[in-house]
Amino acid sequence: MTALDPRDADVAPAAPPADDISADALATGARTKGAGDAGAAGDRAEGVLGRTYRALSIGIVSVVLLIAFEATAVGTAMPVAARELHGVPLYAFAFSAYFTTSLFAMVFSGQWADRSGPLGPLAAGISAFAAGLLLSGGATGMWMFIAGRAVQGLGGGLVIVALYVVVGRAYPERLRPAIMAAFAASWVIPSVVGPLASGTVTEHLGWRWVFTGIPVLIVFPLALALPAIRRRASGPADEAEGARPFDRRRIRLALGVSVGAGLLQYAGQELDWFAALPAVAGVALLVPAVRGLLPTGTARAARGLPSVVLLRGVSAGSFIAAESFVPLMLVTQRGLSPTMAGLSLAAGGGTWALGSFIQSRPRLEPHRERLMFVGMLMVTVAILAAPSVLIHSVPAWTVAVAWAVGCFGMGMVIASTSVMMLKLSTPQEAGANSAALQISDGLSNVLLLAIGGAAFAALGGGAVGAVHDTVEAGASSAHPGAFAAVFLPMAAVALVGAWVATRVRAPRAV
């Protein structure tokens, strides 16, 4: 599950873009060339797979499907890749590098799409995504592997925002819920098939094929979607006004968030006195940038929108940081194959979708805050239960059950934060508040992965599984405390999220 995860998109029929897309991107879609065409009388009876939209719908959903497959497959192959590249101490960095660069790319993509249309950022993003996969797949060392993940993050950030702009411009309002639901559904199959396919490829062909094989599949959605996007969604957001200038201040703030988060992550991995300098520089960049991009009062969980934004970060960050270490724990401590370790997370895709579906029922709307509270308690229990498999008398399938429960809770929470954000935003604020929600999500992933990775490395995590050169050699019983040092703090953070969930209701007007 990643900060760019669009599985919550089906909870709000006309949801705004995923990041720094101006409110115009959807609200003024009727003024753009694509949206105007989409509203023509001849298309009114068509669905998303009708003749007018078929190529575009299949193309953009295929892009989301590939991103989803990559996200689930990489987690399965990562333990083997880290061990082969002698980079287990940098394991968390391999995940957070993606989120770090995507933070900047999301903001830049929204402005690029508003300025000249989504075609440019989408094409550039897919190209960068493919280049990052090839770089990681051909890596000869862990830092080269991490650089590839960073390039992937740039591509992923550009793509996910551009796709939401495409939806706002190319589809009439009546079809947007259907295409958003297709985005969400695109994560279910990869959640089940991805770990199995990735594990099989890793065991029989090698982990590098998991990375180098995916770029070949990108050719199909590119060939199908780009011509349709050029016809229906090209040009500036408002052709009458022409291309608008970039908001340099927001771009600088986004760059400050990315660089600051990266420096903190690096300092957390190095764990020496020399790391204090990048740590201080990271904080100096990060604090003012975050204050400029998130609502006032977010850090202190002020009631209403600030707490909604904070909850998005706390929930996503704690869960993703813990989830990133599950396959490594099962492979090195319990001797599971990469396939079986990946499949321990497979059921989560279905329960996440189920949780999202349940919270969207109209009769549960008055109880949304309570659902979010219960969801965070379920996440807390899941994270606490996962490291119980470090005790060898506990069945390894305990993780699968726990993670299915946690994903159900996440489905309710993540979807509800999107709904609450829209509920508490005026139309003029929807774009900026949507950006804040995504930045909180991505930034918390980076910071909590940095904290978890630092604790993991400090307690000897770098030696986990080092006595074995291959997965088949068996599990290592060394350093189980390194894993506990990741999961227990993340459970505490998730429990704080349950308290934040009690503050999402807006304060009553006096």
Side-chain angles (χ1 to χ4, degrees):
M1 324 304 176
T2 76
L4 307 178
D5 190 338
R7 282 172 289 188
D8 61 321
D10 59 337
V11 301
D19 200 72
D20 191 33
I21 307 167
S22 69
D24 294 347
L26 290 179
T28 67
R31 292 181 296 170
T32 68
K33 179 172 66 176
D37 294 343
D43 327 337
R44 286 177 184 169
E46 289 191 69
V48 294
L49 292 179
R51 184 176 60 181
T52 303
Y53 305 102
R54 185 180 302 131
L56 178 61
S57 297
I58 294 174
I60 62 176
V61 170
S62 296
V63 171
V64 175
L65 189 68
L66 285 174
I67 292 176
F69 182 79
E70 183 274 342
T72 55
V74 163
T76 303
M78 195 75 80
V80 180
R83 290 168 68 179
E84 184 174 313
L85 296 172
H86 308 290
V88 173
L90 299 174
Y91 185 78
F93 218 163
F95 286 94
S96 62
Y98 183 103
F99 299 119
T100 299
T101 54
S102 68
L103 289 170
F104 171 76
M106 286 188 292
V107 174
F108 186 76
S109 180
Q111 296 202 22
W112 187 358
D114 274 347
R115 179 181 173 84
S116 56
L119 188 62
L122 185 61
I126 291 177
S127 300
F129 193 78
L133 285 168
L134 293 174
L135 183 59
S136 291
T140 56
M142 195 61 178
W143 280 112
M144 183 177 175
F145 182 87
I146 291 169
R149 293 287 291 161
V151 174
Q152 277 183 257
L154 285 172
L158 289 171
V159 166
I160 198 65
V161 174
L163 285 178
Y164 277 88
V165 178
V166 169
V167 171
R169 292 191 181 196
Y171 293 88
E173 187 172 349
R174 65 179 181 83
L175 292 182
R176 290 174 193 161
I179 197 65
M180 292 290 193
F183 282 4
S186 296
W187 280 82
V188 177
I189 295 177
S191 296
V192 178
V193 177
L196 178 61
S198 175
T200 302
V201 170
T202 299
E203 290 179 44
H204 293 92
L205 298 177
W207 63 268
R208 296 181 187 276
W209 285 95
V210 175
F211 291 86
T212 57
I214 295 177
V216 178
L217 304 177
I218 294 177
V219 175
F220 169 72
L222 269 180
L224 201 59
L226 293 186
I229 294 172
R230 184 178 293 108
R231 289 193 305 269
R232 307 187 64 83
S234 59
D238 192 330
E239 292 185 342
E241 295 182 2
R244 293 183 296 176
F246 285 101
D247 185 340
R248 298 181 184 276
R249 175 181 174 274
R250 288 191 68 82
I251 290 177
R252 286 196 301 269
L253 291 175
L255 185 61
V257 167
S258 292
V259 174
L263 288 171
L264 283 178
Q265 175 71 22
Y266 175 80
Q269 292 295 322
E270 289 302 305
L271 296 177
D272 56 35
W273 288 107
F274 294 102
L277 183 60
V280 171
V283 171
L285 285 170
L286 202 58
V287 171
V290 169
R291 292 185 64 183
L293 292 171
L294 299 186
T296 302
T298 299
R300 54 184 174 85
R303 289 191 177 274
L305 182 64
S307 285
V308 173
V309 172
L310 179 61
L311 179 60
R312 177 61 165 258
V314 167
S315 59
S318 59
F319 194 75
I320 297 301
E323 184 181 65
S324 299
F325 284 86
V326 168
L328 184 67
M329 178 175 66
L330 292 176
V331 168
T332 61
Q333 302 300 298
R334 297 302 299 266
L336 269 65
S337 68
T339 303
M340 296 306 298
L343 284 175
S344 67
L345 306 178
T351 56
W352 187 304
L354 181 61
S356 178
F357 171 79
I358 286 176
Q359 65 78 39
S360 68
R361 298 301 86 197
R363 66 177 179 273
L364 294 179
E365 178 60 33
H367 309 290
R368 183 168 302 281
E369 293 84 356
R370 186 173 299 175
L371 287 176
M372 298 166 80
F373 174 77
V374 171
M376 287 309 302
L377 289 182
M378 295 174 76
V379 171
T380 304
V381 170
I383 297 175
L384 277 175
S388 66
V389 298
L390 294 169
I391 304 170
H392 281 255
S393 60
V394 176
W397 52 258
T398 301
V399 171
V401 175
W403 229 246
V405 171
C407 284
F408 183 86
M410 285 293 288
M412 292 195 296
V413 173
I414 295 297
S416 291
T417 56
S418 295
V419 173
M420 289 296 295
M421 182 273 294
L422 292 172
K423 182 178 179 180
L424 298 173
S425 302
T426 65
Q428 294 77 19
E429 298 170 333
N433 290 344
S434 179
L437 203 69
Q438 292 294 330
I439 290 169
S440 176
D441 188 319
L443 181 60
S444 66
N445 285 334
V446 174
L447 295 181
L448 291 179
L449 273 167
I451 293 170
F456 182 74
L459 292 181
V464 168
V467 297
H468 301 291
D469 294 327
T470 63
V471 174
E472 290 81 2
S476 167
S477 60
H479 306 289
F483 289 100
V486 174
F487 287 95
L488 298 182
M490 295 309 137
V493 173
L495 188 60
V496 171
W499 170 73
V500 176
T502 66
R503 300 178 60 80
V504 297
R505 187 183 296 273
R508 295 179 180 178
V510 179

